Amino acid sequence: MRSRQRMFAAVMRLLLKCLRLGRRRRFKLVRQVEQLWHYAHLCLRSLLYNSFTNGDVVLDSLFEPVYWLVDHVTRWFGVVFVALVIGLTSSIVAIVYICLLPLILQTYTPAWICWHLAYGHWNLIMIVFHYYMAITTSPGHPPQAKNDLTGISICRKCITPKPARTHHCSICNRCVLKMDHHCPWLNNCVGHYNHRYFFSFCLFMTMGCIYCSISGWEMFRDAYAAIERMKLLEKERLQVAANQTYYQTPPPTFSFRQRAFHKSVVYLWVLCSSVALALGALTLWHAALITRGETSIERHINRKERQRLQKKGKVFRNPYSYGSWDNWKVFLGVDVPRHWLTRVLLPSPHLPHGTGLSWDLPPCVTEQRAPLLAI
């Protein structure tokens, strides 16, 4: 009798504990829902409270989850993009050496052979050098100590000194000196110390793709016509095989080596032409920015500042522009005439002018820059 009573008491205690746990979980869930509701209500009030709130602020707030997703996806897929660039470039180089170079050595004159060998290998060296330097070179970051710099602002995101032309990269989660943009194909930011490497890579890659497209145009036409003949003969062979008699012989078929050769030439021409169009447009865009002495981010900032001053009857002058020709000399690091050969046409790891923390007048600039504002 006592054992039954003890068992019944144990069962009742267990049921009471389960009920208490159930109540606690329900209360916890209710508290979480209330917290989310209060947080959403606070966010809505913060958007409506500020008198400077406009449609752009509301859209930025609504798209903040999308920005967060893009930043994190870009950060993780940067390695994939770099591997893709290396893989595609290596495939083009392999096709040139295996398929096209023997044909060039057999059919071209000695002068054209020397030209193709010299220009092709020079262009390849420039592409590999500048891409490697753009990936491995840090764009430059401001110092963490606040005492090192005076008279500058503080970044609101990483709470570090923010010199002029410095911007915060949400993907790298750091401030970058003279930031242009974050390039997923480099898995790196384009900033003060690797901006020249990035532009040179785009330029020489575009030149290489144009060179391959123009040089391989006749080969592409022949290869495309050969592939069409392959398809036609394959269709005829299947028809003959279906109605084959002792007096009919199937048409000849192409070997695997012939098929691979023609398809490789078509692949090379299509890929190089596509990259030349896309990357060429990007290169022209950055060339225009360099001519004006501004980065991609500064273009949007300067445009808004130009519109604001225009309403007041004033003209905006870019304080970091020294004129078209001098802007290119500062960007490429050309101090003396021989640098056009040693620093532009040949691989050169020289550093850019300045430290990215202050922007004094470079020694290669002959004229003083224009004032910031002109009436």
Side-chain angles (χ1 to χ4, degrees):
M1 188 67 180
R2 292 180 178 177
S3 60
R4 291 180 181 179
Q5 291 178 353
R6 291 176 181 174
M7 186 179 298
F8 179 76
V11 171
M12 292 303 294
R13 284 195 298 269
L14 181 61
L15 289 175
L16 289 174
K17 288 182 179 179
C18 292
L19 290 174
R20 290 174 183 172
L21 289 175
R23 290 178 182 176
R24 290 177 182 175
R25 290 178 180 176
R26 285 197 299 270
F27 290 151
K28 186 177 181 180
L29 180 61
V30 171
R31 284 196 300 269
Q32 290 178 352
V33 172
E34 289 179 353
Q35 289 176 357
L36 290 176
W37 167 256
H38 289 306
Y39 178 73
H41 184 65
L42 181 62
C43 290
L44 182 61
R45 289 189 61 185
S46 65
L47 290 175
L48 300 177
Y49 176 77
N50 193 345
S51 60
F52 295 99
T53 300
N54 52 21
D56 295 337
V57 176
V58 175
L59 287 177
D60 289 341
S61 301
L62 293 177
F63 279 93
E64 190 65 29
V66 179
Y67 298 150
W68 181 89
L69 181 63
V70 171
D71 291 344
H72 284 72
V73 169
T74 305
R75 184 183 307 172
W76 288 107
F77 273 80
V79 179
V80 178
F81 291 152
V82 171
L84 187 63
V85 172
I86 296 175
L88 293 177
T89 306
S90 301
S91 66
I92 295 299
V93 174
I95 291 173
V96 170
Y97 274 102
I98 296 175
C99 299
L100 301 186
L101 186 59
L103 190 62
I104 290 174
L105 295 177
Q106 294 174 4
T107 57
Y108 284 22
T109 60
W112 276 110
I113 291 175
C114 294
W115 155 252
H116 283 290
L117 291 177
Y119 178 82
H121 286 88
W122 169 78
N123 203 340
L124 179 61
I125 291 173
M126 297 298 285
I127 290 173
V128 174
F129 171 79
H130 287 101
Y131 188 67
Y132 174 78
M133 294 299 293
I135 292 176
T136 57
T137 302
S138 173
H141 306 284
Q144 300 295 324
K146 298 181 181 179
N147 296 328
D148 295 343
L149 299 173
T150 59
I152 60 174
S153 59
I154 301 297
C155 179
R156 294 177 297 176
K157 295 183 179 180
C158 57
I159 317 299
T160 56
K162 189 178 180 181
R165 312 186 81 178
T166 300
H167 298 279
H168 186 87
C169 177
S170 57
I171 299 175
C172 299
N173 198 23
R174 294 189 66 181
C175 282
V176 178
L177 299 176
K178 192 192 169 187
M179 179 180 176
D180 188 90
H181 68 288
H182 183 94
C183 182
W185 300 101
L186 301 179
N187 195 27
N188 194 9
C189 270
V190 177
H192 179 62
Y193 289 103
N194 64 346
H195 193 182
R196 179 179 65 88
Y197 297 131
F198 165 77
F199 177 79
S200 299
F201 163 73
C202 293
L203 177 63
F204 288 112
M205 178 64 81
T206 303
M207 292 171 55
C209 291
I210 294 175
Y211 163 73
C212 291
S213 300
I214 295 176
S215 301
W217 169 245
E218 295 295 334
M219 298 180 186
F220 166 74
R221 293 178 56 186
D222 296 339
Y224 185 80
I227 291 176
E228 292 297 324
R229 289 198 303 271
M230 289 182 198
K231 295 179 180 179
L232 182 60
L233 292 176
E234 185 68 20
K235 185 177 180 180
E236 292 179 359
R237 189 180 67 83
L238 293 176
Q239 291 177 353
V240 171
N243 303 319
Q244 189 174 12
T245 62
Y246 292 103
Y247 302 100
Q248 291 176 330
T249 57
T253 59
F254 286 87
S255 63
F256 173 79
R257 185 173 182 178
Q258 291 174 330
R259 293 173 182 270
F261 175 82
H262 295 311
K263 291 182 179 180
S264 298
V265 172
V266 171
Y267 163 78
L268 178 143
W269 193 87
V270 171
L271 180 61
C272 289
S273 300
S274 304
V275 173
L277 290 175
L279 194 59
L282 179 65
T283 304
L284 291 176
W285 164 256
H286 280 278
L289 294 177
I290 296 169
T291 304
R292 295 196 295 263
E294 58 187 10
T295 62
S296 301
I297 298 177
E298 290 173 350
R299 177 186 176 274
H300 300 286
I301 298 174
N302 294 344
R303 183 179 60 181
K304 292 181 179 179
E305 188 68 13
R306 189 177 294 110
Q307 293 174 355
R308 186 183 69 85
L309 294 176
Q310 188 177 4
K311 295 179 181 179
K312 297 181 178 181
K314 299 180 180 180
V315 179
F316 173 76
R317 302 295 183 187
N318 184 7
Y320 308 111
S321 178
Y322 312 104
S324 301
W325 182 247
D326 287 336
N327 286 338
W328 278 102
K329 291 171 62 178
V330 172
F331 178 79
L332 297 174
V334 176
D335 297 329
V336 293
R338 69 171 183 273
H339 286 168
W340 290 103
L341 173 64
T342 59
R343 293 187 173 185
V344 179
L345 298 180
L346 293 177
S348 175
H350 65 277
L351 297 176
H353 287 293
T355 61
L357 303 176
S358 60
W359 299 96
D360 300 326
L361 192 68
C364 60
V365 177
T366 56
E367 299 179 358
Q368 295 291 331
R369 56 181 138 182
L372 178 62
L373 299 178
I375 305 299

